[in-house]
Amino acid sequence: MEIAEKTVKKTFSWPIFDETEVEAVAQVVRSGKWGNPDCGDLVEAFEKEFAAYCGSKYAVSCVNGSVSLRLALIACGVKPGDEVIVPPYTFIATASTVIEANCVPVFVDLDPDTYNISPQAIEAAITPRTKVIIPVHFGGQSCDMEAIMDIAKRHNLRVIEDAAHAHGAEYKGKKLGSIGDVGSFSFQSSKNLTAGEGGIVVTDDDELYAMMNSLRNVGRIEGGQWYDHYNPGCNYRITQMQAVLLSAQLKRLEAQTLTRNENGLYLNQLLEQIDGITPLKRDADITLHCYHIYIFKYDKTYFGGLSKTEFVERLAAEGVPCFRGYPHPLYKQPLFQNKNFMCYAIPDDVDYTQVECPVAERACSDEAVWILQHAMLGTKEDMESFAEAIKKIQSEV
């Protein structure tokens, strides 16, 4: 049986590295100074580099992007039973860390044109118990931060930007993560800036910095003694080896982001010409998009009724690095449906069985198709091959 030739013949690899990263890690190994903070000069150097890159005053590194959100929430002063507004179309950590802070995630729907949290839905969900908004810059596309910051100011709320997908991206010329009270990033393996694992928070607020720095270092404070612990923190520190990997990778990030941005703009032009395919709307306020995920909306009526799952399977078979995304919104997860909150102090009357976010549900079930970030580091010809793969599927159904 003859095997059909793929439309996309290139293999896209990630992470991108060379002997620079290998030698940087080797030097740390040879030094015998691996830890932090006893030998943490390289960690501190990376934190300063990343803060400067984001245009922020401070950065505090930690073990992963889930912990970075948790540090931010606790530092923002939340108390048990407080409400935190989050989108339902994101990774579980955006909401599960709210549970870990003994707070109540309040899920609000998305803007149908961007799949980012809707400012109108945020405003409608605010109650006297609301304390924090966590906008997620999903796929690297900025939320409407002007509207969100306006809401937060009028209601005296904190804003924690979940920028786990958004390294290097900009809104009105400002790096994402530097606009709210705190910006939280992940360095997990798939992320645009990676050391395999790790996370970081950035802020301009002196008090938030001091608390997050203490919480990630078992409650110690700057200037205190080694065995004096002032806050209920834990050891969330990264190692010297992670820090040098990240410093080396950071030197590549801006050029990679520019490439992703250019390819995303070009792919938008190509896909706009295909019936049944709609790229997400990109406003002029988004001055730089890092396309951690390139997302388009799929309409099966233009593809012979082919389900989204079947379409994505065919697209992958053509060689496009793609995924169908989340199978359902976060509030449909067993954690929330079954109220499996274990030791956390979530009020008994919290109930997610009646939550409905129609835009998020359509995105999960029928519409949203993802092209993965490493593919966006390809050439214009690669973007053309992605469009050709979609056209090929359409012509065959």
Side-chain angles (χ1 to χ4, degrees):
M1 179 176 170
E2 186 176 347
I3 299 176
E5 188 175 3
K6 292 181 178 180
T7 303
V8 181
K9 300 175 177 62
K10 184 173 180 178
T11 300
F12 301 89
S13 61
W14 184 259
I16 307 298
F17 66 94
D18 59 22
E19 286 302 307
T20 303
E21 282 84 355
V22 174
E23 182 57 27
V25 173
Q27 287 183 16
V28 173
V29 173
R30 293 188 197 107
S31 75
K33 298 178 180 179
W34 300 353
N36 170 36
D38 51 327
C39 305
D41 53 312
L42 298 174
V43 175
E44 184 178 353
F46 169 69
E47 290 172 339
K48 290 180 177 178
E49 291 166 1
F50 191 78
Y53 178 76
C54 292
S56 297
K57 188 174 180 180
Y58 302 110
V60 178
S61 61
C62 59
V63 292
N64 56 55
S66 301
V67 164
S68 62
L69 285 170
R70 189 168 185 269
L71 297 179
L73 280 164
I74 297 171
C76 282
V78 295
K79 304 296 183 185
D82 284 348
E83 294 176 350
V84 178
I85 294 176
V86 298
Y89 193 72
T90 181
F91 184 61
I92 186 68
T94 308
S96 62
T97 52
V98 175
I99 297 292
E100 287 187 296
N102 288 311
C103 294
V104 179
V106 176
F107 295 103
V108 305
D109 211 354
L110 314 177
D111 180 324
D113 295 324
T114 67
Y115 290 155
N116 273 335
I117 194 167
S118 162
Q120 293 77 20
I122 291 173
E123 186 121 39
I126 292 171
T127 75
R129 293 193 297 177
T130 307
K131 294 297 185 292
V132 177
I133 305 167
I134 305 183
V136 178
H137 303 302
F138 197 78
Q141 169 143 309
S142 175
C143 296
D144 185 347
M145 290 306 296
E146 184 175 4
I148 291 170
M149 295 305 293
D150 175 67
I151 292 167
K153 183 177 181 180
R154 286 189 284 108
H155 294 276
N156 194 30
L157 305 176
R158 293 283 201 176
V159 175
I160 299 171
E161 293 176 75
D162 186 337
H165 291 180
H167 315 73
E170 295 177 1
Y171 174 83
K172 294 187 175 182
K174 289 199 68 175
K175 294 292 186 191
L176 298 185
S178 70
I179 301 167
D181 295 284
V182 184
S184 169
F185 295 84
S186 168
F187 302 134
Q188 178 265 346
S189 297
S190 72
K191 300 302 187 290
N192 291 23
L193 181 63
T194 183
E197 284 291 356
I200 203 164
V201 281
V202 297
T203 187
D204 290 334
D205 187 295
D206 295 349
E207 292 184 3
L208 289 177
Y209 162 72
M211 182 56 71
M212 293 187 293
N213 192 37
S214 175
L215 293 171
R216 68 90 183 254
N217 190 23
V218 290
R220 298 184 178 105
I221 62 172
E222 291 186 349
Q225 297 186 60
W226 184 252
Y227 286 116
D228 283 344
H229 307 275
Y230 292 80
N231 298 298
C234 195
N235 176 6
Y236 295 128
R237 305 183 301 264
I238 64 170
T239 67
Q240 299 270 75
M241 285 170 273
Q242 288 171 283
V244 295
L245 264 179
L246 288 165
S247 288
Q249 289 282 293
L250 183 59
K251 292 178 174 63
R252 305 177 187 274
L253 180 61
E254 190 69 8
Q256 290 175 341
T257 302
L258 292 171
T259 297
R260 291 188 180 97
N261 184 67
E262 291 172 7
N263 281 334
L265 289 169
Y266 186 50
L267 190 54
N268 284 347
Q269 295 175 17
L270 297 173
L271 298 193
E272 284 168 354
Q273 302 171 32
I274 304 175
D275 290 339
I277 301 296
T278 306
L280 294 186
K281 182 180 179 182
R282 176 172 165 167
D283 291 329
D285 290 341
I286 298 174
T287 44
L288 189 60
H289 196 318
C290 69
Y291 288 103
H292 175 67
I293 303 169
Y294 180 95
I295 304 175
F296 62 84
K297 297 170 76 170
Y298 168 73
D299 185 343
K300 68 180 181 181
T301 60
Y302 292 88
F303 289 79
L306 199 67
S307 73
K308 186 179 82 167
T309 297
E310 293 169 320
F311 170 79
V312 171
E313 288 173 352
R314 291 199 183 194
L315 193 60
E318 292 297 330
V320 179
C322 61
F323 186 56
R324 67 188 182 98
Y326 303 120
H328 40 246
L330 283 185
Y331 54 82
K332 295 286 190 182
Q333 290 285 347
L335 165 63
F336 297 106
Q337 291 292 300
N338 300 337
K339 299 175 66 170
N340 191 23
F341 302 138
M342 303 176 77
C343 64
Y344 297 107
I346 309 304
D348 291 338
D349 62 353
V350 170
D351 180 13
Y352 293 99
T353 60
Q354 303 304 310
V355 175
E356 290 185 1
C357 294
V359 177
E361 294 191 15
R362 288 197 305 273
C364 292
S365 61
D366 300 321
E367 294 179 349
V369 176
W370 301 0
I371 294 177
L372 305 180
Q373 63 94 353
H374 54 291
M376 302 306 292
L377 289 175
T379 63
K380 292 185 73 172
E381 290 73 23
D382 294 324
M383 302 305 110
E384 291 165 0
S385 71
F386 298 165
E388 288 303 313
I390 295 171
K391 291 178 183 177
K392 178 181 177 182
I393 296 168
Q394 191 170 56
S395 70
E396 292 175 344
V397 295

